Amino acid sequence: MLEKLKLKARLLKRELFVLYLSYRDPGVPMHAKITAIIVVAYAFSPIDLIPDFIPIIGYLDDLILVPLGIALALKLIPSQIIDKHRAKAAEIANASKPKNWFIGALFILIWITAAYWLGIKVISWMQH
C-alpha cells in the first residue's frame, strides 16, 4: 500500500510539472493559465490553506485540494498541449523544482493581501 501511495505521489508531482510547462504555452486559454498558475503556486508554496500542524485536517489540502486543482487545470488545457509537455515534465520532476520567481512573488502578494484584508476586517469588527 505504501508503494502505491509513493507511485501516486510521483505521478501527481509529474502532473504539476506538466501544468508548470503548459501554462506558459501560448496555445493555452487564459482561464486555464490562471487555474494552472494558482494550482502550481499553491502546491509549491510553503504556506498551506490549512496548516499541516492541525492533526488530520492539516493534510487534507495536500490530499484533496491539490489533486482536485491539478485535475481541473488538466481538463481546461487542450490535450495536445499536455501531451507535448509530458516528456519535459518527467525530466524536470526527476531533477528539481522549477524556479519561477514571478509566480512565487505573486503567491506571496496574494497571502499578504489576504492577511491585510483580514486584519482590517478584524480591527473594524473590534472597534464596533
Side-chain angles (χ1 to χ4, degrees):
M1 177 148 168
L2 184 61
E3 288 303 315
K4 277 180 142 178
L5 287 174
K6 285 182 184 180
L7 176 63
K8 285 187 181 202
R10 262 184 267 138
L11 293 174
L12 188 65
K13 183 178 178 183
R14 187 164 296 147
E15 295 302 297
L16 278 171
F17 291 112
V18 170
L19 288 179
Y20 170 74
L21 294 170
S22 296
Y23 89 81
R24 301 182 323 174
D25 194 294
V28 175
M30 186 55 70
H31 66 281
K33 285 184 182 199
I34 292 170
T35 304
I37 288 169
I38 291 169
V39 170
V40 170
Y42 184 77
F44 288 131
S45 171
I47 301 170
D48 285 343
L49 189 62
I50 305 168
D52 289 342
F53 65 82
I54 299 173
I56 300 171
I57 297 171
Y59 291 103
L60 287 181
D61 60 343
D62 296 330
L63 297 173
I64 296 173
L65 291 179
V66 173
L68 285 176
I70 291 171
L72 173 64
L74 288 173
K75 287 195 182 299
L76 295 174
I77 298 171
S79 59
Q80 65 271 20
I81 292 174
I82 290 171
D83 294 340
K84 181 171 78 172
H85 294 295
R86 285 215 190 264
K88 181 70 174 164
E91 291 174 25
I92 293 173
N94 293 331
S96 66
K97 290 183 180 180
K99 292 175 180 64
N100 189 329
W101 296 109
F102 173 75
I103 298 301
L106 179 66
F107 199 77
I108 289 170
L109 181 65
I110 290 169
W111 278 109
I112 290 171
T113 303
Y116 177 76
W117 177 82
L118 183 63
I120 288 174
K121 291 294 182 185
V122 168
I123 290 170
S124 174
W125 176 74
M126 292 175 73
Q127 290 176 348
H128 287 19

